[in-house]
């Protein structure tokens, strides 16, 4: 484990010890480009440690991220590389979750439940870019692989569409593409990142709920969050997948 990663895990552990929920002032200015990255030929995978963060307290469920993603990848109807879930938690702890059309049209109508609600929030979902990805382990032809800079990608020419990875992913982010007949999933827009651009969904998010940046850049927003006392959470930590996708203000009911 390299020094940066150990430090990162240290921050994460420190974060899970507390549960300080507070709102940052809105809105945060999200840069259109990742500072320090330029043309693709200058991209050095060894020089970066990208992370994705989602701040639950900032997500308004507008679905702009999902629309941007659909446009970027022409994702077939009924399939989603990213989506946003709506959570309602009643006073007696019952949890209601829905995500009509993956939130492509946002949530124009409130959801009515019989009991009083004590908490309501949105949870964007996407590939967790696991450090130990179950999808890579099960692929029988090596079509799913991890890059030197930690992105889990699919070689579509090599993929035979067996769907082992779809079954293995604990986060349900993979699917068999209706037209290509291969596995598919979110890539954190690796093609954009290599050119110094932000992932399309991060670029489209109007509230700064989706954050992306390089931990090797001490001035990046993600680095500053890591250095703060803000607790960070991952989904299904018991799975041993070590997601690089981190959540801020994630409620226990989602984990
Ligand atoms: S979230 Fe699923 S598809 Fe993404 S890296 Fe982890 S196991 Fe693989
Ligand atoms: S664009 Fe941002 S605020 Fe809107 S649903 Fe997506 S994450 Fe939430």
């Amino acid at each position: 484990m390299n020094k940066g990663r150990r430090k990162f895990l240290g921050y994460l552990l420190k974060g899970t010890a507390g549960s300080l929920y507070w709102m940052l002032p809105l809105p945060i200015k999200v840069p259109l480009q990742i500072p320090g990255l330029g043309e693709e030929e200058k991209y050095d995978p060894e020089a970066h440690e990208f992370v994705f963060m989602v701040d639950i307290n900032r997500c308004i469920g507008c679905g702009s991220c999902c629309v941007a993603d659909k446009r970027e990848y022409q994702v077939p109807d009924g399939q989603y590389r990213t989506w946003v879930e709506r959570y309602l938690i009643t006073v007696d702890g019952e949890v209601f979750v829905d995500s009509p059309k993956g939130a492509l049209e946002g949530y124009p109508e409130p959801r009515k439940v019989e009991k009083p609600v004590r908490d309501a929030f949105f949870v964007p979902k996407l590939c967790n870019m696991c450090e130990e990805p179950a999808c890579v382990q099960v692929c029988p032809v090596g079509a799913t692989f991890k890059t030197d800079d930690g992105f889990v990608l699919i070689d579509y020419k090599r993929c035979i569409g067996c769907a082992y990875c779809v079954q293995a992913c604990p986060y349900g982010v993979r699917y068999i593409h209706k037209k290509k007949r291969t596995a598919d999933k979110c890539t954190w827009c690796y093609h954009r990142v290599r050119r110094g651009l932000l992932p399309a969904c991060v670029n489209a998010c109007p509230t700064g709920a989706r954050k992306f940046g390089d931990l090797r850049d001490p001035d990046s927003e993600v680095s500053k969050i890591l250095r703060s006392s803000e607790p960070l959470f991952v989904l299904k930590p018991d799975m041993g997948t070590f997601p690089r996708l981190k959540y801020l203000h994630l409620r226990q009911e989602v984990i």
Side-chain angles (χ1 to χ4, degrees):
M1 193 185 292
N2 67 33
K3 202 174 156 199
R5 190 152 297 146
R6 266 202 306 274
K7 199 171 158 197
F8 188 23
L9 283 173
Y11 279 117
L12 188 62
L13 287 171
K14 180 180 72 170
T16 52
S19 58
L20 180 65
Y21 293 131
W22 52 277
M23 288 274 286
L24 293 170
L26 285 168
I28 263 191
K29 192 171 176 299
V30 180
L32 287 177
Q33 300 216 342
I34 302 159
L37 272 187
E39 297 158 29
E40 183 166 354
E41 58 266 25
K42 291 183 190 156
Y43 183 75
D44 175 7
E46 303 276 324
H48 304 285
E49 196 173 350
F50 288 111
V51 292
F52 204 120
M53 290 182 184
V54 174
D55 187 343
I56 300 302
N57 279 0
R58 286 180 173 273
C59 181
I60 55 173
C62 65
S64 303
C65 48
C66 307
V67 173
D69 190 77
K70 278 267 177 191
R71 283 206 187 118
E72 185 79 17
Y73 296 98
Q74 291 86 49
V75 184
D77 288 348
Q79 298 191 307
Y80 308 95
R81 296 165 69 105
T82 185
W83 66 96
V84 178
E85 295 171 356
R86 170 171 58 184
Y87 274 70
L88 292 182
I89 302 172
T90 63
V91 283
D92 59 359
E94 197 170 350
V95 181
F96 294 86
V97 187
D98 67 349
S99 183
K101 295 186 183 171
L104 264 181
E105 295 167 8
Y107 288 91
E109 299 296 331
R111 180 169 178 181
K112 293 189 176 64
V113 294
E114 300 289 313
K115 302 170 196 164
V117 170
R118 87 166 143 77
D119 200 3
F121 51 90
F122 298 101
V123 183
K125 296 276 181 81
L126 61 157
C127 179
N128 288 238
M129 289 302 170
C130 308
E131 300 273 6
E132 298 290 339
C135 55
V136 172
Q137 289 162 22
V138 300
C139 181
V141 294
T144 285
F145 62 98
K146 220 171 127 183
T147 63
D148 288 342
D149 43 356
F151 286 70
V152 177
L153 302 177
I154 300 165
D155 180 340
Y156 299 110
K157 287 196 176 134
R158 194 177 272 216
C159 177
I160 56 173
C162 67
Y164 285 3
C165 57
V166 177
Q167 297 295 325
C169 172
Y171 304 101
V173 306
R174 283 178 171 252
Y175 56 91
I176 298 296
H177 193 286
K178 282 179 190 171
K179 294 178 184 153
K180 293 193 284 185
R181 304 308 307 162
T182 65
D184 206 4
K185 71 165 189 79
C186 156
T187 59
W188 288 9
C189 285
Y190 192 52
H191 65 293
R192 290 175 57 93
V193 171
R194 285 181 64 100
R195 293 187 182 96
L197 297 168
L198 288 167
C201 61
V202 176
N203 207 24
C205 178
T207 64
R210 290 180 181 239
K211 306 174 191 300
F212 183 84
D214 191 348
L215 292 181
R216 301 275 179 91
D217 173 3
D219 295 326
S220 66
E221 188 186 2
V222 291
S223 291
K224 286 176 185 166
I225 291 171
L226 274 183
R227 287 199 302 273
S228 75
S229 57
E230 196 69 44
L232 291 171
F233 302 89
V234 296
L235 295 175
K236 302 187 180 180
D238 297 342
M239 297 300 297
T241 47
F242 302 101
R244 287 169 58 219
L245 169 64
K246 313 295 177 195
Y247 286 88
L248 293 124
H249 307 114
L250 194 68
R251 317 305 201 256
Q252 201 56 42
E253 288 83 355
V254 184
I255 296 169

